[in-house]
Amino acid sequence: SHPLCECVSQGCSSLCSDCAQLHRVHTARMNYLLHTLILLAAAEMTTAGRLKVKCKEERIMAKAGEDDVIQCRLYSKNKAGSVAFVWKKEDAAEIIYNYTASHGSRGQNPSYRDRAQVFDNEIRKGNVSLRLRNVTLSDSGTYSLSVASRSQRTQTQVFLSIRAVGTPPVIHSPSDDLGLVVLVCESSGWYPAPSVSWENGLGENLTRYSHTELTNCTGGSVCVKSTLEMDNWPSGNYTCLMWNQELDEGLSSSFILIHRVPLGTVIGATGASACAFILIVAVCWSWW
């Protein structure tokens, strides 16, 4: 017993009251500590068995026309094959792939049929990645992965950004009656809009002599038309380069410029040659 409690035999009732209060506080503290330890242990056990999904990247950039894999993995003490998971595209509320151990894919949006797949043989190992084949600009957006077991559920999101390299540029030279040399370089299917540059066969940059027009194409892509105007430029090789800076990739095309001789000049030159020939023949004949 607490030494203060000996005061009871001596009639010190106030001190004995303090002793009882101290005992109650001490007991309450011990109970609180024990309760906290029990909660922490329970939380640790719950966390150990909790579903957890982790994707390799939160933001992914892919090239249109190629295949892309959104890499995600499931961590759980339960067998991964006993869970179900759903891949959705958030902005359109489209079900891309709905997987259950017994039914495989269900409720899939038609636009993803034969284009979206999971890795069936690796699901039991925790691989819940999604493969998209032949991605297009319309595939850009936020993708959510929801995973559920009998008692737990978790979700994560990944943003997929699609970029595109257009068609090979085509250069043509429309006729110009003013004698101005004009080269036009055109291409379609870019996203975002590419940078455009011109150079001649000597590697000299001619971009300052050009102007570029951008228009909207099908599927959200960009059409590009760049015009190079030159006055009295020499014949030779001219190159148009279009470059997607985000993909660090581009395309180029070259055009061999050959100056056309006006018809009057050709006729004049031919007439002069004919006259010279007649004169030479006449002189030679006189010598005979």
Side-chain angles (χ1 to χ4, degrees), residues 81 117 144 165 240 269 275-276:
Q117 69 177 107
S144 67
V165 172
C240 168
C275 291

Side-chain angles (χ1 to χ4, degrees), residues 33-85:
L33 179 61
L34 180 61
H35 182 67
T36 301
L37 292 175
I38 293 174
L39 289 177
L40 289 175
E44 184 176 356
M45 294 177 62
T46 302
T47 303
R50 182 179 300 168
L51 290 176
K52 181 181 178 182
V53 174
K54 185 175 181 180
C55 296
K56 184 177 180 179
E57 299 174 279
E58 293 183 355
R59 300 182 68 88
I60 301 174
M61 185 172 65
K63 181 182 175 182
E66 297 184 350
D67 297 349
D68 188 70
V69 177
I70 304 178
Q71 300 183 44
C72 298
R73 180 161 294 276
L74 169 66
Y75 299 91
S76 173
K77 284 191 173 182
N78 300 322
K79 292 183 178 180
S82 63
V83 302
F85 60 89

Side-chain angles (χ1 to χ4, degrees), residues 22 25 39 48 60 65 80 84 104 116 132 146 155 159 174 239 270:
L22 181 62
V25 171
L39 289 177
I60 301 174
L132 292 175
S146 301
Q155 180 177 334
F159 184 78
T239 300
T270 304

Side-chain angles (χ1 to χ4, degrees), residues 116-276:
Q117 69 177 107
V118 295
F119 300 82
D120 297 282
N121 297 331
E122 299 181 23
I123 292 176
R124 291 186 177 275
K125 300 177 183 178
N127 187 352
V128 289
S129 303
L130 175 71
R131 181 195 296 275
L132 292 175
R133 297 188 179 277
N134 190 26
V135 295
T136 65
L137 292 177
S138 61
D139 289 324
S140 294
T142 301
Y143 290 75
S144 67
L145 170 61
S146 301
V147 182
S149 65
R150 293 182 178 179
S151 58
Q152 299 178 47
R153 181 181 300 271
T154 188
Q155 180 177 334
T156 190
Q157 291 184 335
V158 176
F159 184 78
L160 178 62
S161 177
I162 308 299
R163 299 292 183 259
V165 172
T167 58
V170 175
I171 303 177
H172 60 95
S173 180
S175 59
D176 192 303
D177 297 332
L178 300 177
L180 189 67
V181 178
V182 178
L183 296 182
V184 178
C185 179
E186 296 183 277
S187 178
S188 61
W190 292 84
Y191 189 83
S195 61
V196 182
S197 60
W198 289 85
E199 65 178 34
N200 60 17
L202 300 176
E204 296 173 328
N205 193 320
L206 308 175
T207 308
R208 62 185 180 278
Y209 302 107
S210 69
H211 62 273
T212 301
E213 304 172 32
L214 305 176
T215 56
N216 294 326
C217 288
T218 57
S221 64
V222 178
C223 288
V224 185
K225 178 180 179 181
S226 183
T227 303
L228 178 66
E229 297 181 351
M230 302 173 293
D231 187 13
N232 296 324
W233 282 84
S235 298
N237 190 56
Y238 292 86
T239 300
C240 168
L241 171 64
M242 297 188 182
W243 193 262
N244 187 316
Q245 296 180 348
E246 295 191 17
L247 289 175
D248 197 23
E249 184 177 345
L251 297 170
S252 66
S253 181
S254 295
F255 185 89
I256 299 177
L257 178 65
I258 301 176
H259 285 298
R260 291 167 291 188
V261 179
L263 182 59
T265 304
V266 174
I267 295 175
T270 304
S273 298
C275 291

Side-chain angles (χ1 to χ4, degrees), residues 2 68 78 90 103 164 203 279:
H2 196 279
D68 188 70
N78 300 322
E90 289 296 310
H103 296 90
L279 179 61

